[in-house]
Every structure is written in C-alpha cells, then in structure tokens.
Amino acid sequence: MKGRNILIRDANQRDIPAMMELIHLKAEFDGCLESVEATPQKLEIDLFGEKPLAFVLLAEVDGDIIGLATYHFIYSTFLAKPGIWLDDLYVKAEYRSHRVGQALMLRLRQIGQEKGCGRIDWTVAVSNEGGINFYEKIGAKLINKVKLCRLDGLSITVE
C-alpha cells in the first residue's frame, strides 16, 4: 500500500452495498455473524433518511472502499457537552497496519473538535489485543471501572 493515498469521506446512499459487505466482515471478525439484521433498505432509511440516526465515514484507496467508522452523537451531563459514540470501526484485514484506522480516527477526532465535543467513547472486545494496542497507541485511555450494560430484544418491550 506504500504510496497510495487513503481518502476518508462521508458515506452516501450509493455506498450501501460496500457498507453491507464491511458490516458482515466486522460481524465475522467479532464472531457474531448471525447477529447482523441490517439490510440495505434499513440503512438507507436510518442513515440517509430525513433524520439520520447515525453517520458513516468510509476509507477508500484507489476507489475501493476498505474500511468504515460508524458513529452518532451523545451528550455528557457531567461535561455539559456533546460527545461521539463510535459504534464500529473496521478495516479490511489486508489493509490493517497501513494507517487506515488511524486516518478514520483522525477524521472522527476532527468532527468531534468541529462539533465542540468533550469526548469520544467506544468499546473494544477484551480479546481484541490488536485493537486495544491500536487504541492505546492513538492515545485512548481504557477504562476498566465500568461494564457495558444492554437491554435488547424483549428486554426493551414494556408491558
């Protein structure tokens, strides 16, 4: 990949097939391929509809989409500032260690700065040593004092 330029850009509706591929690759990497319920139609509505629920940055090399970062805005009452929740960061295996993830995170940091955000938060699997090393290398602090909590499926349903 030496000498090739990495382009980081906002996704658009024409990118949905490539985004679906990356979502499936990410789920496979995470060992939970069966949990993917995303469809092109859902992504079109949720990401490019009247009120987008989230945003997607794409990494491109020579016209090929090779990575993505999905995020949405949050709010910290402690900081009294907006923040960013990075939902997924994924780079195709053959492009890792070529600064693609770093370029995606740099653009996300720029967006955070532009929007006056106080922080960017995300999770990383404890078994993802490569990801943990990458995040620490770019300056992230791993916080072990909290645990992820989740209500999903039937747990969200109120009777």
Side-chain angles (χ1 to χ4, degrees), residues 21-35:
E21 176 193 11
L22 292 168
I23 290 167
H24 281 95
L25 288 170
K26 168 82 166 76
E28 185 176 20
F29 176 83
D30 288 347
C32 58
L33 191 55
E34 72 286 347
S35 68

Side-chain angles (χ1 to χ4, degrees), residues 51-68:
K51 291 185 179 182
L53 299 176
F55 306 92
V56 180
L57 295 173
L58 295 175
E60 213 177 271
V61 171
D62 297 335
D64 293 328
I65 296 172
I66 60 164
L68 68 90

Side-chain angles (χ1 to χ4, degrees), residues 4 6-9 35 48-49 52 56 71 78 92 137 158-159:
R4 296 160 95 184
I6 303 165
L7 171 67
I8 304 298
R9 64 174 178 83
S35 68
F48 305 108
V56 180
Y71 67 97
F78 284 14
K92 288 183 176 180
K137 184 178 173 184
V158 180
E159 295 179 18

Side-chain angles (χ1 to χ4, degrees), residues 27-46:
E28 185 176 20
F29 176 83
D30 288 347
C32 58
L33 191 55
E34 72 286 347
S35 68
V36 176
E37 296 182 16
T39 65
Q41 297 78 15
K42 268 297 268 162
L43 293 182
E44 185 168 350
I45 292 165
D46 293 345

